[in-house]
Amino acid sequence: MLNVFVSFVVAFSTLTLVNGHQTLAGPVSQEKPLLVVDFESTPDGDIPEGFTKQGNCEVTSREAHWGKKCLLMTPAERGPRRIVLKGDFVKRIGASHWGRLYLKVQVPTPVPTVPTGKNFAVIHSTIVEGAGTSPLHNDHVWVRLADTCTGPDGGVQWLYNVWVTPRPEFGKGSPFKYKFTGDWMLVEWHVDSATQSYELFIDGKEIPEVKLNNGAGNYSGTEIPPFFESLAFGWNNYQSAGKGFTAWIDDIAISHERIGDKSLSKS
């Protein structure tokens, strides 16, 4: 099945600039991406070939960023609603890459209930996650490449987060000064295992508070593995969200260079 999927990726690799979107700071790639998923050839109610599904998510033609289809994550109180890609193809991508997708979150979003005696609470939600082996402790880690926390007033924190057990998770986050607007947004991440560095951009603007650059061989606080064993795209919230988040993703792409705001339509 994976060989079929790789052929699908290659077929959807023509690069075309699209007007009407925010100009990105910095150069973007002219090479063909390693992975492209635009959902256009997947029947409604299904998921793209080569992926497995966790929770309730499906392709829909009722919403799209470019084209006519995208992936819908239906609401749930908690837990994953996402597609997962595993195997040798993911390992060959490595953990030094640029990735991007378009995300739309229905508003108003759920907000956390602040417990009695506390003055703050969050709903932690992961959009993109890579799983691999820590170069520091040689145990399994889940690296959240696009990660958020929603506060009591609906404010959004973007963060780099690594979950591992039984060790405590760790990460670096922005203030809760961002918002989901109900519009499509461009989410870009850059991760580099060689330099143990990470960057995140929303609509072409860097989220500076989450930037990391430890340098080669310095793994503490990053623990980016030499390659990922799986990549997951969708929604996974860990605390109760009541009726739950409704979200859509579209136009996933991964490359060794920055892709930016480009249509990767079939030629």
Side-chain angles (χ1 to χ4, degrees):
M1 180 176 290
L2 186 57
N3 289 335
V4 174
F5 179 74
V6 172
S7 298
F8 165 82
V9 170
V10 172
F12 282 77
S13 296
T14 301
L15 302 183
T16 306
L17 288 174
V18 173
N19 295 324
H21 295 273
Q22 183 169 348
T23 302
L24 295 165
V28 295
S29 174
Q30 297 302 313
E31 70 175 17
K32 291 184 177 181
L34 304 168
L35 172 69
V36 173
V37 187
D38 65 8
F39 306 104
E40 294 298 295
S41 65
T42 303
D44 280 22
D46 208 341
I47 64 169
E49 184 179 0
F51 286 85
T52 58
K53 180 168 71 169
Q54 295 179 342
N56 291 326
C57 62
E58 62 183 40
V59 170
T60 178
S61 56
R62 295 183 178 182
E63 184 69 62
H65 174 255
W66 278 317
K68 297 180 180 179
K69 297 187 178 186
C70 71
L71 185 72
L72 164 67
M73 284 73 69
T74 57
E77 180 185 0
R78 70 178 76 213
R81 286 89 70 202
R82 60 190 184 179
I83 55 174
V84 183
L85 184 63
K86 300 180 180 180
D88 290 341
F89 177 64
V90 175
K91 293 178 182 179
R92 289 196 297 271
I93 290 175
S96 298
H97 69 253
W98 281 89
R100 79 103 200 266
L101 56 76
Y102 290 85
L103 171 70
K104 182 176 179 179
V105 183
Q106 183 174 290
V107 293
T109 65
V111 295
T113 300
V114 179
T116 302
K118 304 290 185 179
N119 57 17
F120 199 74
V122 302
I123 303 173
H124 182 185
S125 303
T126 299
I127 301 155
V128 181
E129 181 178 80
T133 300
S134 167
L136 185 60
H137 296 285
N138 202 37
D139 53 3
H140 203 66
V141 292
W142 289 262
V143 181
R144 280 75 182 260
L145 300 169
D147 206 34
T148 68
C149 285
T150 303
D153 66 350
V156 173
Q157 175 193 54
W158 291 96
L159 66 156
Y160 173 83
N161 178 265
V162 177
W163 188 81
V164 59
T165 185
R167 295 190 288 122
E169 66 181 305
F170 60 90
K172 185 179 182 184
S174 74
F176 285 79
K177 66 181 182 180
Y178 301 96
K179 292 278 188 179
F180 292 125
T181 65
D183 297 323
W184 285 102
M185 62 173 64
L186 171 61
V187 179
E188 298 177 275
W189 64 92
H190 177 222
V191 62
D192 190 342
S193 62
T195 59
Q196 291 295 299
S197 59
Y198 171 79
E199 299 171 281
L200 181 69
F201 299 79
I202 303 299
D203 289 330
K205 296 181 180 179
E206 185 174 10
I207 308 297
E209 298 92 350
V210 304
K211 186 172 183 175
L212 294 163
N213 191 5
N214 273 359
N218 299 318
Y219 304 121
S220 180
T222 49
E223 297 191 35
I224 300 167
F227 60 87
F228 291 121
E229 298 168 6
S230 67
L231 289 169
F233 308 93
W235 197 275
N236 186 14
N237 59 278
Y238 312 102
Q239 294 80 30
S240 173
K243 293 182 179 179
F245 292 85
T246 299
W248 301 261
I249 60 173
D250 202 356
D251 298 307
I252 302 167
I254 292 177
S255 177
H256 283 144
E257 298 180 10
R258 191 174 187 178
I259 303 159
D261 185 28
K262 289 184 176 181
S263 170
L264 304 176
S265 302
K266 184 177 180 181
S267 57

